[in-house]
Amino acid sequence: MISDLKLKLKFLIRLVSAFTSGDYFHYGLVKDSPSKTFFENNTSISLPILPSPLKTGKLQNLKIAIAKINEQVLLPGKIFSFWTEIGKPTIKKGYTEGRVIRNGEVASEIAGGLCQLSGIIYYLSLELGLEILERYPHTRDLYTEETRFTPLGTDASVVFPSKDLRIRNNLTVPLQFFFELTEDKLTFQIRSPKPLLRQKLHFQQEIKNGYSKVSVYLKSDVDGELKLCSSDDYKI
């Protein structure tokens, strides 16, 4: 576990970096669009929540975090920062033990399981061509092809405050986030005033020396060429 002093130092370093780059002034979801916008179109994705010894804690953690960002709006040019919106996850806020991957090993800690929330946001944002400013993969692949609930390479590891997920709305329309959580499924919708172009992701995988190297590509809507989105190594 990281000491409270080290957490505060890491948070301060990240905050200073956001200020100096100017990104901090573009952070933030809002409750409503400035004008009366009708979010008549939606693009959605659903992922299963698989059985696990810490599933109850994971569901509780997801519920608390979702309440912070559900039905919030990301305006054009603004940046979604996972930890800026969610804040430091603590027991006092209701977070409990959930499964995490730390240093390539499975463990449990407070607020474990939130990576499925960050992952589903990242996955759909990729397909819609939103600008990914910051994202981290997990260090290990825990699943087989039969048990995998999302393609390898579309995950997003988040660790407060050092590993964040940051996404810029580079479209010309506001985007509303909407989530639905059940015992066995998490659904994420991005609602918009007009239909959004959803592109298919392409995956390339190579297994070598105990690692799975996964490259994710998105087909350009301009020239049809494949654009590299990420290239990650997972311990298997």
Side-chain angles (χ1 to χ4, degrees):
M1 295 293 291
I2 301 176
S3 70
D4 193 52
L5 180 60
K6 286 185 177 180
L7 280 178
K8 289 179 179 178
L9 180 59
K10 287 188 175 187
F11 179 77
L12 181 60
I13 292 173
R14 176 170 283 276
L15 189 62
V16 170
S17 177
F19 265 105
T20 55
S21 68
D23 283 350
Y24 180 83
F25 304 101
H26 296 279
Y27 284 171
L29 298 174
V30 295
K31 291 184 178 180
D32 298 293
S33 182
S35 58
K36 291 186 177 180
T37 304
F38 295 98
F39 296 97
E40 301 174 312
N41 300 274
N42 74 77
T43 308
S44 68
I45 182 173
S46 294
L47 298 177
I49 296 178
L50 301 175
S52 72
L54 295 171
K55 180 179 178 180
T56 300
K58 176 178 182 175
L59 287 169
Q60 180 173 323
N61 296 335
L62 287 172
K63 182 179 179 181
I64 296 170
I66 285 172
K68 303 285 289 186
I69 58 178
N70 198 27
E71 298 188 33
Q72 302 288 298
V73 177
L74 185 62
L75 298 174
K78 293 296 184 178
I79 298 171
F80 166 77
S81 162
F82 188 88
W83 287 126
T84 297
E85 300 298 335
I86 302 301
K88 182 181 178 181
T90 63
I91 296 175
K92 188 176 180 179
K93 293 178 182 178
Y95 289 100
T96 186
E97 293 281 333
R99 190 175 74 168
V100 296
I101 303 175
R102 292 288 178 264
N103 301 316
E105 300 297 328
V106 178
S108 67
E109 66 181 47
I110 299 301
L114 289 186
C115 289
Q116 185 156 2
L117 179 59
S118 57
I120 200 171
I121 296 171
Y122 173 65
Y123 191 177
L124 188 54
S125 297
L126 269 185
E127 292 187 322
L128 294 179
L130 301 184
E131 184 181 358
I132 310 300
L133 301 178
E134 182 178 1
R135 168 261 175 184
Y136 301 89
H138 288 87
T139 55
R140 181 178 172 187
D141 180 18
L142 296 176
Y143 304 99
T144 65
E145 292 307 316
E146 290 72 26
T147 62
R148 195 181 309 287
F149 58 83
T150 185
L152 193 61
T154 60
D155 56 311
S157 175
V158 285
V159 181
F160 182 88
S162 55
K163 291 185 178 182
D164 199 5
L165 172 67
R166 297 188 301 130
I167 300 169
R168 188 194 308 274
N169 179 3
N170 55 350
L171 305 180
T172 58
V173 296
L175 306 173
Q176 184 183 52
F177 288 5
F178 182 83
F179 299 87
E180 184 177 358
L181 177 66
T182 67
E183 289 289 320
D184 55 13
K185 186 169 67 174
L186 173 62
T187 298
F188 173 45
Q189 293 182 5
I190 290 184
R191 296 174 172 177
S192 57
K194 66 178 184 180
L196 302 177
L197 179 63
R198 186 174 187 173
Q199 299 279 17
K200 181 180 179 181
L201 297 178
H202 298 262
F203 300 86
Q204 184 176 18
Q205 184 175 13
E206 179 185 6
I207 298 177
K208 188 176 181 180
N209 298 327
Y211 285 85
S212 178
K213 184 179 185 64
V214 180
S215 299
V216 182
Y217 298 86
L218 186 69
K219 182 177 289 188
S220 170
D221 57 357
V222 177
D223 55 17
E225 294 293 322
L226 292 180
K227 173 186 174 183
L228 180 65
C229 299
S230 63
S231 184
D232 307 310
D233 292 316
Y234 299 87
K235 184 179 180 180
I236 55 177

